[in-house]
Amino acid sequence: MAQFEKPVWLENGLVRWVDHRLPIFTFVSHELYEYPTPRNLNYWWNFGSLAGIILVIMIVTGITLAMHYTPHTAMAFDSVERIMRDVKYGWLIRYIHMNGASMFFIIVYIHMFRGLYFGSYKAPREILWMLGVVILLLMMATAFMGYVLPWGQMSFWGATVITNLFSAIPLVGDWIVTLLWGGFAVDNPTLNRFYSLHYLMPFVLVGVIVMHIWALHVHGSNNPIGIDTKGEQDVIPFHPYYTIKDMFGLGVFLIFFSLFIFFAPDYLGHPDNYIEANALSTPAHIVPEWYFLPFYAILRAVPANFVGEWATAWMGFIFIEAKLAGVLAMFGSIAVLFILPWLDRSPVRSSRFRPMYKWFFWIFFIDCIVLGYVGAKPAEGVYIAIGRVATIWYFAHFLVIMPLLAKFEKTRDLPKSISEPVLGGGIGSISAATAKPMEKA
């Protein structure tokens, strides 16, 4: 079809000379111009490209900030203040970088919830989903180490509390903590290590994202209906249709981003981080950045000695401290995402055709919001009970509800193809039982 013809600029003499020796232009043409994309993608599919754009922004501003930052406990806090006051447009670069981390997590969280809603983790896209979870882990590690660099009160005490969690690991825990600290307390060697790793990790992240895009282009994008494309009538070239759509989404996002940069740059941060780190003064309430709060709530949800007392009473020789159980629960909340494609065995991808799953999805979404709210509150009173209930529901959603829904949910009939409902040719349907073939590679 004409819509998939090669771009005219590939016929340029210089382009053809270079492409014969290094086929980079053919690669760009295939992945951008000729890449067939489902014709029914909506704006929820913009967030993948937005994540890539904000990563580039973070890398560029991070490199610029690194030119003026001093990774030393005696000078780190003052060097950040110097960037804000003396470096030309330093305040703007830092606010972009600081709020960019929050924007990155907002985009990625929306991107992942969209994948959960439309079943983008199902076959044959399991590796694509798992690489996405790896990206989330790398983001968390990078953001945590970056939060330590300003060397404010919350930076110092956050690093102390979070790194101490590894001491709960039997046998090797203390060794891991000493390795992270570079000594026996959070001090200058810790700051140097975190600075080096914070600079390195975004480039590792780029490598994993390249693999993520590679995996995406093998089987193509999922779509709101959740069925595979049946031919050229179901697809359109990525350019210009979705590049224009992505540019519009980028414009809306930059407006939203700019509101924080220019009008509320410190809204998503903690005021205690504008106090220089002091090992002799513990903040009244130590909390991580907002994007870690749901996992922080899960960490604190395990009752003291609950698992240990149960194990001791029934097994005699097994003892799990509450601290270790909390750490296992926190990391388990991420690990369960890796096995999600095998927990949900329903042949239907999209929630549009899964009436029961749709309701449980929104309950799960609210549960994550509740976990974030509880994580920001002191571990006392009613917040302890709410956190435990929300944590139980988080794991039950993946380990109990999703496997059971795959067995007992009555799904709606699927359209025969993407093009029929999109082009108004009438909605044919196929039963959920015949949706099995879509799991093939």
Side-chain angles (χ1 to χ4, degrees):
M1 293 179 66
Q3 62 177 350
F4 288 102
E5 291 179 356
K6 294 182 180 294
V8 176
W9 51 263
L10 275 180
E11 301 302 320
N12 179 275
L14 179 60
V15 169
R16 292 172 61 187
W17 184 89
V18 173
D19 202 57
H20 181 66
R21 291 153 179 82
L22 180 66
I24 187 171
F25 295 107
T26 299
F27 175 79
V28 171
S29 173
H30 175 72
E31 299 300 324
L32 185 63
Y33 282 79
E34 304 167 36
Y35 175 56
T37 312
R39 68 191 312 143
N40 63 335
L41 300 189
N42 55 39
Y43 281 106
W44 292 116
W45 267 258
N46 279 48
F47 290 91
S49 61
L50 284 178
I53 292 169
I54 194 65
L55 176 61
V56 173
I57 292 173
M58 293 295 288
I59 290 174
V60 172
T61 54
I63 292 173
T64 307
L65 290 171
M67 297 175 185
H68 304 279
Y69 176 77
T70 306
H72 191 285
T73 54
M75 293 176 278
F77 187 84
D78 290 337
S79 71
V80 173
E81 289 302 308
R82 179 183 174 274
I83 290 171
M84 294 291 292
R85 299 168 188 270
D86 297 335
V87 176
K88 191 171 185 179
Y89 293 110
W91 62 272
L92 178 59
I93 298 168
R94 188 189 173 219
Y95 282 154
I96 291 174
H97 193 77
M98 186 172 70
N99 288 281
S102 292
M103 297 300 114
F104 200 2
F105 274 94
I106 289 173
I107 289 169
V108 169
Y109 283 152
I110 293 175
H111 190 56
M112 294 189 73
F113 275 110
R114 187 269 295 167
L116 288 171
Y117 187 84
F118 292 108
S120 298
Y121 51 85
K122 290 179 178 286
R125 299 178 179 87
E126 300 97 330
I127 298 294
L128 174 66
W129 172 262
M130 293 168 73
L131 286 171
V133 179
V134 172
I135 290 170
L136 177 64
L137 283 171
L138 290 172
M139 285 175 57
M140 288 178 167
T142 306
F144 168 67
M145 288 181 280
Y147 190 57
V148 176
L149 301 187
W151 208 241
Q153 274 288 74
M154 209 51 64
S155 297
F156 175 83
W157 288 101
T160 301
V161 170
I162 298 302
T163 53
N164 254 309
L165 294 176
F166 291 95
S167 65
I169 301 174
L171 302 178
V172 297
D174 291 336
W175 177 82
I176 293 174
V177 173
T178 303
L179 181 66
L180 288 171
W181 286 351
F184 300 102
V186 175
D187 209 333
N188 199 57
T190 315
L191 185 60
N192 272 279
R193 289 169 187 231
F194 280 23
Y195 173 66
S196 299
L197 290 172
H198 182 69
Y199 195 97
L200 170 67
M201 293 295 279
F203 299 101
V204 178
L205 198 55
V206 169
V208 179
I209 287 173
V210 169
M211 295 177 63
H212 187 67
I213 297 173
W214 185 5
L216 171 68
H217 283 215
V218 171
H219 294 288
S221 299
N222 188 28
N223 60 85
I225 294 177
I227 63 175
D228 293 329
T229 55
K230 301 296 192 296
E232 287 195 358
Q233 72 276 6
D234 288 345
V235 296
I236 53 177
F238 186 82
H239 179 80
Y241 299 101
Y242 288 115
T243 49
I244 295 298
K245 202 167 188 175
D246 284 345
M247 290 298 291
F248 175 76
L250 175 62
V252 175
F253 164 72
L254 290 178
I255 293 172
F256 177 75
F257 190 13
S258 298
L259 292 176
F260 282 93
I261 294 172
F262 295 108
F263 297 102
D266 299 310
Y267 182 77
L268 298 172
H270 197 285
D272 280 6
N273 226 32
Y274 283 94
I275 303 171
E276 189 170 2
N278 183 356
L280 301 178
S281 176
T282 307
H285 183 38
I286 301 172
V287 292
E289 287 286 77
W290 70 266
Y291 36 79
F292 294 135
L293 290 176
F295 307 101
Y296 190 54
I298 292 173
L299 170 70
R300 301 186 311 182
V302 178
N305 296 326
F306 174 79
V307 178
E309 288 175 359
W310 182 89
T312 302
W314 289 93
M315 300 182 185
F317 56 89
I318 296 177
F319 182 79
I320 302 175
E321 294 181 351
K323 182 178 179 181
L324 175 58
V327 171
L328 292 175
M330 182 179 68
F331 285 109
S333 65
I334 301 293
V336 72
L337 297 175
F338 279 102
I339 61 172
L340 176 59
W342 294 275
L343 294 174
D344 183 3
R345 302 303 299 169
S346 173
V348 177
R349 292 191 187 123
S350 177
S351 291
R352 291 186 177 182
F353 305 96
R354 302 184 63 186
M356 291 180 65
Y357 176 78
K358 181 186 295 185
W359 283 104
F360 281 110
F361 168 85
W362 288 114
I363 294 171
F364 173 73
F365 176 78
I366 294 170
D367 183 67
C368 292
I369 301 296
V370 170
L371 282 170
Y373 175 77
V374 171
K377 298 297 181 180
E380 59 188 29
V382 69
Y383 299 118
I384 296 176
I386 295 173
R388 289 173 182 171
V389 172
T391 298
I392 291 171
W393 186 267
Y394 179 94
F395 286 101
H397 177 83
F398 293 112
L399 301 176
V400 179
I401 293 171
M402 295 186 83
L404 289 178
L405 283 177
K407 292 180 178 295
F408 301 110
E409 183 180 33
K410 182 175 176 56
T411 58
R412 295 169 52 199
D413 290 339
L414 299 172
K416 287 182 179 178
S417 70
I418 290 174
S419 60
E420 287 187 346
V422 172
L423 300 179
I427 301 180
S429 64
I430 56 177
S431 66
T434 61
K436 294 280 187 182
M438 78 180 182
E439 296 186 3
K440 295 188 296 183

